[in-house]
Each structure stands twice: as structure tokens, then as C-alpha cells.
Amino acid sequence: RVGLVVSAVTGVTNHLLSSVSEVLSGKPSQEFVDEFCRVHTAILKDLEPNIDQKLLEKAEEEIVTVAKEFDNLLTGVGLLMECSPSILDHISSIGERASTPIIEAILEGNGLTVRRIDPRDYIITDNVFGNASPLMPEIEKRMSPLRDETWDVLLMPGFFGSTLSGKTTTLGRGGSDYSAAILAAAFQASTLEIWTDVAGVFSADPKVASEAFVLDEMSYPEAMELAFFGAKVLHPRTIAPVVTLKIPTLIKNTFNPDLPGTL
């Protein structure tokens, strides 16, 4: 079985964060909500020739619901002229919550059985808003019953979870990859795959060193060291949950899946 962790559509998280700044400066929220809806409904429109209309309508209804929540949160920020770290995390998580129903429609449209979960019920973290750390024993306990269920794909939005008291938290930059590693560790998966927009991990920054090449394999310590010193392919904490369990991690290119990537 496959666990699939979904990130936000490119640019959406930045849009959410900038909308908070703009509303705090006095701008009305509506234009930011409208743009949020436009991005996601455009994707649904592109899918129309290939996916059953009822599945797309279901996804659109959920996106509209999430957009209304976004609008309400922005309105509250504008009225109070204040945005706490907790509210900012809640707003930041909305991108993943909008992209996930789109992926669900695609999977179900291709005949797969999908079990979607809300990470706020499973990815339990500490109270450090904006850069939360997972509480793995609690996560493993909550995810254990999912092992006995029947599904083709376990679908989960990445990047966010919640405190034990139920407040939404985010996992920091690259948090969807981190979520995938947490899920892989909780299920002791055979492999963690991270699908990104590059061919793999390069020997050096290809923008600086023209002779840089994609590494076929590297060790966990090497990967963590590269991440620590600024390599953007991996979140510095991403592979930590899978290191102890020695779960292989494969970096692959979404736009060229035939490339071998980096193991």
C-alpha cells in the first residue's frame, strides 16, 4: 500500500503569508481569497476531460469551504490588526488543505481506493508554532489502527499537524517532505520517496558549478550535512525520522520520472 503526502500548489503558501501582511497593512481580504480560488479551480478545469465531473465537483465544494475559512481568518486578522503565531500556522496550512481534494479526485478517478486523513488528528506536535517537532510515540499510537484498514492509498496533506490540545501547527520549510518522513517512520515503510522539481541531489550547486552532477547514492549523514549547509532538496530535519529505522529515501523528479534520482 502507498501513503501519499500532498504539498500546496506552487506559490500558494507564499500567497497565504503575503496576504496576512497585506491585510495587516490595511488592504481588504477579498482579492487574496479570489486569487486563492482561481488557482485551484483552474486546475480542476484542466482535469475536466479526464476525471469524472462528480469527483471534480466534490473537490470544488471542499475548496470553496476552505476558501471561506481563509476569508474568515483574514477578516479577523484585519479587524484585530494582529496575527498570532497560532493563527498564522492555521492560515499557512490552508494550501495543503485545498490541493489534497484535487489529488483525491485524480486518484479516485483512476479507480483507486483512497483513505484520506486529517494530519491534525494524527501528526501530533509540540507547541512551537511555525517550526513544530513531531511527538512520535503519540503519532505511532494514533496511526496504528490504520494498518488494519483496507485501502490503496492513504492520502494526507503535508506541512501541518496539531498540538495535543488541537491547535494547528506547521513543521517549517519543506514541511511536506518532513510529513512524509514522519508517515514513513510511523508505518515502518519499505521506502520513502520525495518527488520534487529537480533530478536528484547534485554534487554541488549547478547554478554555481557547471560540472555538478546528480549523485546516484549517498549516506544519511551526507544528506543531512548537505541539508544543514543549505542544500534545498531536503528539509534539514526531513530524513531524521527514517534514519534510525534505516528506511531508504529516494529523491525523484516529478517532471521527468524516468530519471533514476538519488537514493
Side-chain angles (χ1 to χ4, degrees):
R1 294 179 297 180
V2 173
L4 180 60
V5 176
V6 182
S7 62
V9 174
T10 300
V12 166
T13 303
N14 287 339
H15 174 74
L16 296 170
L17 294 174
S18 64
S19 68
V20 172
S21 299
E22 296 288 355
V23 168
L24 284 172
S25 70
K27 289 190 177 180
S29 62
Q30 193 59 51
E31 63 179 282
F32 304 108
V33 177
D34 289 345
E35 175 62 14
F36 176 85
C37 291
R38 186 199 64 77
V39 168
H40 295 91
T41 53
I43 296 172
L44 293 175
K45 186 73 174 175
D46 287 343
L47 291 171
E48 282 182 359
N50 303 304
I51 304 296
D52 182 81
Q53 188 63 33
K54 289 183 179 179
L55 292 174
L56 296 178
E57 287 174 358
K58 178 186 171 186
E60 185 171 13
E61 287 174 7
E62 190 164 347
I63 290 167
V64 169
T65 299
V66 172
K68 287 179 180 176
E69 183 178 338
F70 177 38
D71 190 14
N72 290 336
L73 288 165
L74 280 185
T75 300
V77 168
L79 289 171
L80 296 172
M81 293 307 290
E82 181 182 344
C83 185
S84 69
S86 174
I87 295 299
L88 187 61
D89 269 11
H90 196 130
I91 292 173
S92 300
S93 72
I94 284 175
E96 281 74 13
R97 290 173 56 201
S99 60
T100 301
I102 297 175
I103 299 297
E104 183 175 36
I106 294 170
L107 294 170
E108 291 184 339
N110 281 276
L112 294 166
T113 302
V114 179
R115 169 69 156 98
R116 190 187 348 160
I117 61 173
D118 187 330
R120 291 171 293 189
D121 296 328
Y122 295 91
I123 307 297
I124 308 305
T125 74
D126 60 19
N127 298 320
V128 181
F129 297 102
N131 197 33
S133 295
L135 305 180
M136 288 305 300
E138 181 67 23
I139 292 169
E140 289 164 2
K141 182 179 78 174
R142 294 192 181 206
M143 287 194 170
S144 181
L146 296 171
R147 292 175 175 272
D148 299 325
E149 297 180 2
T150 302
W151 35 261
D152 296 321
V153 179
L154 182 71
L155 181 64
M156 183 180 84
F159 181 52
F160 69 97
S162 79
T163 65
L164 282 166
S165 63
K167 289 189 175 182
T168 300
T169 55
T170 59
L171 300 171
R173 187 184 69 83
S176 290
D177 293 348
Y178 196 11
S179 297
I182 293 167
L183 188 68
F187 280 100
Q188 298 184 13
S190 60
T191 309
L192 166 64
E193 296 182 2
I194 297 176
W195 289 81
T196 181
D197 57 355
V198 293
V201 180
F202 282 80
S203 58
D205 186 346
K207 295 179 182 176
V208 177
S210 59
E211 68 275 16
F213 58 91
V214 176
L215 300 167
D216 294 328
E217 293 186 5
M218 62 194 309
S219 68
Y220 288 126
E222 288 170 334
M224 295 178 83
E225 187 173 336
L226 273 177
F228 181 80
F229 286 108
K232 295 180 179 179
V233 176
L234 287 173
H235 184 288
R237 298 188 294 171
T238 288
I239 57 175
V242 300
V243 170
T244 306
L245 298 172
K246 298 182 179 179
I247 297 173
T249 299
L250 184 61
I251 314 295
K252 294 278 286 181
N253 188 340
T254 309
F255 302 104
N256 198 340
D258 293 330
L259 293 176
T262 299
L263 182 65

